[in-house]
Amino acid sequence: MLNIVLVEPEIPHNTGAIARTCAATGATLHLIKPLGFDISDKAVKRCGLDYWYLVTIKVYENLDEYFEKNGDRNLFLATTKAPQNYSAADLSGSDVTLMFGKETAGLPEWLREKYRERCIRIPMVDEARSLNLSNSVAILAYEALRQQGFPGLLSQGSMAE
């Protein structure tokens, strides 16, 4: 199983796009408060997120609650400050967790330092500050799934028939 953790996400459109990636891949989406938007049924329907029912979403009051309930096994932190490229990480385990920080500040420094050896980076040119959060999630989610052999996902479309 693949787990995507968003720590204090701020932009609803990013989280909507990430939820769609989770729906398409079967990943569980973990949201750590505070959230910069409303995810009530009414708000989701108003936004036309017709795939929302396909997403398993778990919401936590803070990082402490998240770690208390889930631990840190096979946890990888996505950060532009990471010492290693994501392609060097072994994401082939059956239960991998990818954690991402909020759009304006990333992950807290104390967390990055605690898990320094599990911090991974998507390569980009020096002048670029970062990629869009939803793009980063998609890149790393599909890398993890590729390493795992795309478990439970269809590998061929209707043109294969």
Side-chain angles (χ1 to χ4, degrees):
M1 172 190 282
L2 180 61
N3 296 285
I4 303 298
V5 180
L6 303 182
V7 178
E8 301 179 8
E10 300 167 309
I11 301 173
H13 291 80
N14 281 339
T15 301
I18 292 164
R20 190 171 192 123
T21 297
C22 290
T25 61
T28 298
L29 179 58
H30 302 262
L31 301 175
I32 299 174
K33 292 181 179 181
L35 307 179
F37 45 85
D38 180 11
I39 59 167
S40 67
D41 285 342
K42 182 179 179 183
V44 168
K45 287 177 184 166
R46 188 172 53 244
C47 290
L49 303 179
D50 61 346
Y51 54 84
W52 203 256
Y53 74 97
L54 293 171
V55 186
T56 300
I57 299 175
K58 298 180 180 182
V59 180
Y60 307 88
E61 291 301 317
N62 52 47
L63 277 166
D64 289 337
E65 180 186 3
Y66 170 81
F67 282 115
E68 180 182 301
K69 291 183 176 178
N70 299 285
D72 64 1
R73 187 173 168 272
N74 289 329
L75 172 68
F76 294 89
L77 286 69
T79 173
T80 59
K81 297 160 183 63
Q84 70 174 329
N85 182 328
Y86 73 88
S87 66
D90 180 4
L91 306 174
S92 64
S94 62
D95 199 17
V96 169
T97 298
L98 301 172
M99 183 176 280
F100 301 82
K102 61 183 167 183
E103 292 90 341
T104 58
L107 292 167
E109 183 178 3
W110 70 264
L111 188 63
R112 294 190 321 262
E113 287 302 324
K114 180 175 181 177
Y115 295 102
R116 176 180 276 272
E117 73 285 352
R118 299 189 204 175
C119 288
I120 56 177
R121 170 186 170 82
I122 299 170
M124 63 189 91
V125 298
D126 188 39
E127 296 82 16
R129 184 172 40 93
S130 64
L131 287 168
N132 174 276
L133 179 60
S134 62
N135 292 336
S136 297
V137 170
I139 289 167
L140 294 181
Y142 271 91
E143 173 61 14
L145 293 166
R146 183 193 67 78
Q147 288 186 28
Q148 296 167 15
F150 298 109
L153 302 182
L154 298 174
S155 61
Q156 297 180 328
S158 62
M159 291 175 64
E161 297 171 357

